[in-house]
Amino acid sequence: METNALITLTGRQMIDGEDDHYELTTLGRYTKKDDKYYISYEGSELTGYENTTTTLKIKDGCVSMIRFGKSSTQMVFEKEKKYVGYYDTPFGSLSVGVTTNSLSVNIDEEGGEIDLDYMVELNNNLPVHNGLHLKIRKVGNQV
């Protein structure tokens, strides 16, 4: 069953001692299929992902993020594990390494929250510390 959802993303990135924050509230879709939850939403200029659809798949303490559109990538967040993949941009591809420091998932059929704390390495450069908090709340009718 797929429903409309109000999704609030709060992100942070720490580079060279500078702490950058953003918050975005958007409408998206929230679905449960078998034992997995799916959250999808359209990106925005604020997050740097305009013309991009982001889908999160949540299952058993693992969050997979797939982005399609102007910029495409897949990242897997699993506590104390490293995922290596690629980040495709209009200017070329970059290798991306994601190491998840901590992951907290508290969701059910009505919505919930996800907290991620992770490091990102682009093209094997120094890692950048990131955090992401998602709050999902079902709204409106089934789609």
Side-chain angles (χ1 to χ4, degrees), residues 79-93:
K79 189 175 179 183
E80 298 177 358
K81 292 191 178 180
K82 183 174 183 176
Y83 169 82
V84 178
Y86 288 94
Y87 181 46
D88 294 321
T89 74
F91 309 104
S93 292

Side-chain angles (χ1 to χ4, degrees), residues 85-132:
Y86 288 94
Y87 181 46
D88 294 321
T89 74
F91 309 104
S93 292
L94 305 166
S95 69
V96 61
V98 177
T99 303
T100 306
N101 301 320
S102 65
L103 166 66
S104 172
V105 177
N106 183 16
I107 60 174
D108 59 24
E109 286 81 7
E110 297 302 312
E113 298 186 40
I114 299 170
D115 275 305
L116 295 168
D117 183 85
Y118 59 99
M119 306 296 285
V120 173
E121 301 169 42
L122 293 176
N123 283 342
N124 297 312
N125 287 314
L126 289 175
V128 175
H129 191 186
N130 291 268
L132 181 63

